[in-house]
Each structure stands twice: as C-alpha cells, then as structure tokens.
C-alpha cells in the first residue's frame, strides 16, 4: 500500500511539474513520517521517496537508532526547541524549520562544536497566523542577513506551512506569495545563503504547490494513510 501510494503521489507531482514546465525530478518528495514506525518508513524509502521528514525529536532519535532512514536523507520539519538542538544537528541533513534568531544561534553554536556545517531552511509564516511559528515576510531579509554571518549554517531556502484551506484553491494565493518571496530573496546577494529549495505543499495540496513553484513537498497522509493520534 505504502509503495503504491508513493507511486501515485509521484505521478501527481509529475503532472503538476509538467503543467509548470519543470522536470519532475527537480521536485524533492519528502515523506512526513510522524507517528509512522520504522517499518513504514523503510517501505516509503523503498517506494522511492527522496527524503524523510520527522517533526518530533524523540521519534527521530528512536527511528534513527533503528536505522529506519537508511537510504534517504533525513529532514527535521517540526518546531525545534533549543534544548533539543544537540539531538538533531549533524543527524538531520536539513533542518527545514528554523524560525528564530535564538534557534539559529543555538544550531550555529552546536554545529561549530561538532566542526560541521548544518544545512537549514527558514520557516516563513506566510499567513501571518498567531498559531504558527515562522519568520514574517517583512522580517525575512534581515533574518537572512544575520544567518549569512553564521559560518556553520548553510541556508538553502524557505519552508512554509500555509493556513489550512478547504480546497487547494484557497491555499494557492499563499503558494504564489511564497514563490514571489523566494524570487525576491534570490535576487539579494548573500554569501552563505542560497535559494535552492522552496518547501511547501502537503497531502491535500502538494500538486497545487508544485504548480506554483514548490520544488520540495512534504507528504504524510497521502503516503501512510490517516494518523492515529
Ligand atoms: C505532518 C506534516 C506534513 C504532512 O502532512 P499531511 O497532511 O499528512 O501530508 C507536512 N509538513 C509538516 C511540517 C508536518 O508536520
């Protein structure tokens, strides 16, 4: 089932990429693995997802200990507390959800101690929702300028969790706004900040996100089925 679901998601990504006129292989499919066990994760990787995205540190540590992510890069996609940074830096290939100066500084310090460079994305609160973390579009240029001065961080793009819409069409304006922001940031000249990835779109709207310029999507339910909370 999981392998089939991955194939279907990839086929839908291919259709959306064709609509936008981009190579489907340029879209990174991240399996959002929360609440799914190591076996499910292994099947998703076998099915051909490009990366796994975990959003709870405890689950990441446990599944990583089981070797569940072998064969796929690991992303951290959840809200990261500073006291858990040590468990994630150097373990996750990409931390997608950097959302404050304090968190960035903690990651920088930890990466420096390990003698590594940690790849990150900046989470943007594109809907301006109080319930969501993320940097506001207005604060983003200044935030990126500060990240640019942190030698143990490599900033590779932006991530967002859009406000929940009833349909993908309700979400489309947010995707458009994010893409414009992504291009604006690309125009700025930083040394250590690139705009390689735009991570947006989940199970209900990943095709729409790709149509609007996402090159990284994070898909859980459409691959693993409904989560049992
Ligand atoms: C769970 C999760 C997703 C995927 O959500 P689905 O609707 O199950 O596809 C994407 N991004 C983040 C940050 C998540 O926590």
């Amino acid at each position: 089932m999981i392998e089939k679901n991955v194939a279907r998601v990839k086929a839908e990504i291919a259709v959306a990429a064709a609509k936008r006129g981009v190579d489907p292989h340029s879209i990174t499919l991240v399996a959002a693995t929360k609440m799914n066990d190591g076996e499910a994760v292994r099947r998703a990787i076998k099915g051909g997802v490009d990366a796994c995205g975990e959003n709870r540190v405890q689950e990441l540590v446990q599944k990583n200990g089981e070797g569940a992510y072998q064969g796929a890069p690991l992303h951290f996609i959840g809200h990261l507390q500073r006291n858990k940074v040590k468990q994630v830096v150097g373990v996750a290939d990409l931390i997608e959800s950097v959302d404050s100066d304090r968190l960035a500084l903690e990651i920088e310090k930890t990466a420096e101690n390990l003698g590594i460079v940690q790849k990150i994305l900046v989470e943007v609160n594109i809907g301006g929702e109080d319930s969501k973390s993320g940097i506001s579009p207005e604060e983003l240029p200044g935030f990126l300028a500060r990240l640019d001065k942190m030698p143990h961080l490599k900033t590779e793009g932006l991530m967002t969790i859009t406000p929940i819409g009833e349909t993908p069409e309700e979400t489309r304006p947010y995707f458009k706004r994010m893409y414009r922001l992504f291009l604006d940031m690309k125009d700025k000249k930083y040394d250590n900040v690139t705009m390689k990835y735009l991570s947006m779109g989940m199970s209900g709207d990943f095709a729409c996100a790709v149509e609007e310029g996402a090159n990284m999507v994070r898909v859980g339910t459409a691959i693993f089925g409904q989560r049992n909370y």
Side-chain angles (χ1 to χ4, degrees):
M1 220 32 222
I2 290 175
E3 289 90 335
K4 253 191 200 155
N5 290 343
V6 171
R8 200 185 52 239
V9 167
K10 289 181 88 158
E12 286 176 37
I13 288 172
V15 170
K19 265 193 201 167
R20 193 173 175 82
V22 298
D23 180 355
H25 297 107
S26 67
I27 315 292
T28 301
L29 170 58
V30 182
T33 51
K34 60 174 172 279
M35 310 204 61
N36 287 284
D37 63 15
E39 181 52 27
V41 173
R42 277 187 283 272
R43 285 171 59 192
I45 293 169
K46 210 170 134 223
V49 301
D50 300 301
C52 293
E54 204 60 75
N55 68 347
R56 290 185 178 86
V57 173
Q58 200 184 330
E59 279 190 58
L60 179 149
V61 169
Q62 198 202 319
K63 286 176 225 175
N64 194 43
E66 296 170 20
Y69 307 117
Q70 268 169 36
L74 175 60
H75 295 188
F76 188 79
I77 62 175
H79 181 64
L80 184 54
Q81 291 166 300
R82 278 182 302 149
N83 62 3
K84 296 193 174 160
V85 159
K86 281 192 180 62
Q87 294 170 272
V88 177
V89 171
V91 178
D93 297 281
L94 181 67
I95 300 175
E96 293 199 25
S97 41
V98 175
D99 58 6
S100 72
D101 284 279
R102 277 155 38 121
L103 176 60
L105 283 166
E106 192 68 32
I107 296 172
E108 163 67 19
K109 205 173 70 188
T110 307
E112 181 177 14
N113 287 338
L114 291 172
I116 63 163
V117 173
Q118 176 67 54
K119 291 182 191 174
I120 65 163
L121 303 182
V122 173
E123 181 170 350
V124 176
N125 186 356
I126 195 66
E129 296 172 288
D130 290 337
S131 62
K132 290 211 169 83
S133 39
I135 305 295
S136 71
E138 296 71 31
E139 289 171 298
L140 186 60
F143 186 66
L144 292 177
R146 292 192 292 280
L147 293 181
D148 200 35
K149 299 207 166 64
M150 298 186 199
H152 301 89
L153 297 188
K154 188 163 191 289
T155 305
E156 297 202 317
L158 307 177
M159 177 270 221
T160 196
I161 304 171
T162 56
I164 295 168
E166 293 286 314
T167 66
E169 291 317 311
E170 282 182 31
T171 315
R172 193 182 292 275
Y174 295 107
F175 291 148
K176 281 188 193 290
R177 223 184 284 170
M178 269 309 290
Y179 186 69
R180 241 177 282 134
L181 195 59
F182 181 70
L183 290 186
D184 287 348
M185 295 307 114
K186 211 178 223 179
D187 277 345
K188 296 188 187 295
K189 291 289 166 260
Y190 299 107
D191 296 320
N192 199 21
V193 172
T194 59
M195 288 293 130
K196 186 172 172 190
Y197 296 115
L198 177 57
S199 175
M200 60 184 187
M202 316 201 287
S203 288
D205 53 22
F206 64 86
C208 179
V210 169
E211 285 172 20
E212 297 303 335
N215 59 10
M216 187 175 277
V217 295
R218 309 175 309 269
V219 180
T221 313
I223 291 174
F224 298 107
Q226 287 296 331
R227 290 177 289 272
N228 293 311
Y229 287 97

